[in-house]
Amino acid sequence: MAAKIIRFGLMAVIAGIFLLAGVMKIYDPQGFALAIMEYQLIPWWGIVVLAVYMPWLELLSALALFIPGWRRASLITLILLLVVFSLALVIVLLRGIDIRCGCFGIGFLDVSAPVALLRNLILLAGAGYLLKFDKFNR
Amino acid sequence: VGVAGFNTLHYLDAVLIRLATLLILPAVLAAGTLFWHPRAPSFAEKPVPKQTYQQVIDSGQAIFWIDARSQAAYDQGHIENAVLLNEDHWNRLFPGFLKRWNPDQMIVVYCSDSGCTRSQEVAARLRKELGGNLKISVLKGGYEGWLLR
């Protein structure tokens, strides 16, 4: 029972973070595009595509986490997103580019790249844990 | 393949279909965002590049500073010789900018900090009004970054 409560709490935290991130970026896709541009990783056309696609992916995946039967697909998507975000942060840190995360769009709950990376790794561990104990979701 | 094997395959199929749905549905909504969202980024209009204060100075060019913040923030303090120009009072402020600006100068626009977007908006509008070949950039870190330089 306690384990179930922990799992639900963890799920609510992960879903809450991605819901907030998705909503903030859907509200201001131009601001999110500027935040992605700071990473200097992809050309402008790719930034535009990501800026309008990724927030919806985050939002829908977070919502799907609460739908029994959809949880595994949702967790796989969220883990993929976290891996991509973390890789981008690692590349930026290795290249010595000084940026803010932009994880919630531009200028909202902004943290430095190392803090964002640490947060991502914690979320990744949480999502991995939920995926491992996914039996109750089927 | 026994009953258990069949069930596992069936389960994996269901997960894959849901995974595909989760990946495809956002693409449809993203297309809608591109067409209807008032703040959607445009493929055609790439934002003005950002430069740090050091990069601006190292460029060796004559700089024309534009402060894209509010009148109140400008009055509290601004970069020396910076001219106030923002979207809120564009029609009133733009003629004053035109009078003082020399086309040989590189325009550098700034707003409050690294999280603001007013400088990008002003820079984009200037590029639209004065032509694509304009020498213009946005100050990385904004006024806050300049204070900490």
Side-chain angles (χ1 to χ4, degrees):
Chain A
M1 185 64 185
K4 240 183 176 178
I5 293 170
I6 289 171
R7 282 201 294 267
F8 186 80
L10 192 57
M11 198 178 75
V13 169
I14 293 173
I17 288 172
F18 275 96
L19 270 176
L20 184 64
V23 167
M24 292 307 295
K25 291 185 276 201
I26 287 167
Y27 175 72
D28 183 13
Q30 175 71 23
F32 182 43
L34 294 175
I36 304 175
M37 200 170 110
E38 299 273 304
Y39 283 69
Q40 301 171 32
L41 288 173
I42 46 174
W44 176 243
W45 66 265
I47 291 172
V48 173
V49 171
L50 284 184
V52 292
Y53 175 77
M54 236 159 33
W56 286 111
L57 184 59
E58 288 176 296
L59 183 79
L60 294 181
S61 301
L63 290 174
L65 211 46
F66 291 105
I67 305 172
W70 282 75
R71 204 161 289 157
R72 184 163 277 259
S74 159
L75 283 169
I76 292 170
T77 312
L78 293 176
I79 286 172
L80 283 175
L81 276 171
L82 284 167
V83 168
V84 170
F85 293 158
S86 302
L87 277 176
L89 286 165
V90 167
I91 293 170
V92 159
L93 285 170
L94 288 176
R95 287 165 63 185
I97 301 170
D98 177 28
I99 58 156
R100 308 294 289 171
C101 166
C103 307
F104 295 88
I106 202 156
F108 180 72
L109 290 178
D110 236 356
V111 292
S112 65
V115 174
L117 184 59
L118 183 67
R119 184 178 58 198
N120 281 0
L121 293 177
I122 293 169
L123 288 173
L124 206 48
Y129 172 80
L130 286 176
L131 192 61
K132 192 178 174 198
F133 294 98
D134 182 49
K135 272 183 222 155
F136 68 104
N137 305 317
R138 292 186 191 188
Chain B
V1 182
V3 175
F6 176 78
N7 281 343
T8 306
L9 281 176
H10 182 70
Y11 173 69
L12 283 177
D13 276 353
V15 170
L16 283 176
I17 288 167
R18 285 164 191 164
L19 194 57
T21 308
L22 276 182
L23 293 172
I24 292 167
L25 193 55
V28 178
L29 294 164
T33 303
L34 270 180
F35 281 108
W36 290 298
H37 200 299
R39 288 190 55 77
S42 156
F43 286 105
E45 284 175 37
K46 191 180 172 184
V48 172
K50 282 190 175 181
Q51 285 191 307
T52 62
Y53 179 71
Q54 199 54 49
Q55 287 170 325
V56 170
I57 297 304
D58 289 348
S59 72
Q61 302 206 49
I63 307 298
F64 189 90
W65 293 100
I66 288 185
D67 191 320
R69 299 174 301 159
S70 65
Q71 179 79 57
Y74 177 82
D75 290 342
Q76 278 181 7
H78 54 263
I79 296 178
E80 202 182 344
N81 294 324
V83 166
L84 180 70
L85 182 63
N86 56 46
E87 290 268 39
D88 303 338
H89 304 287
W90 186 271
N91 292 338
R92 178 168 64 83
L93 297 168
F94 189 60
F97 153 76
L98 279 181
K99 262 185 205 164
R100 292 181 58 181
W101 174 61
N102 173 347
D104 291 334
Q105 292 173 303
M106 180 171 81
I107 296 172
V108 183
V109 192
Y110 66 89
C111 49
S112 56
D113 52 39
S114 56
C116 66
T117 56
R118 279 167 160 251
S119 51
Q120 274 293 351
E121 286 158 12
V122 166
R125 188 152 178 192
L126 278 172
R127 201 161 57 175
K128 202 180 277 181
E129 302 225 358
L130 300 172
N133 295 325
L134 191 68
K135 288 188 286 184
I136 188 166
S137 65
V138 165
L139 183 66
K140 192 173 183 176
Y143 183 65
E144 202 176 79
W146 179 79
L147 287 173
L148 298 169
R149 69 196 184 280

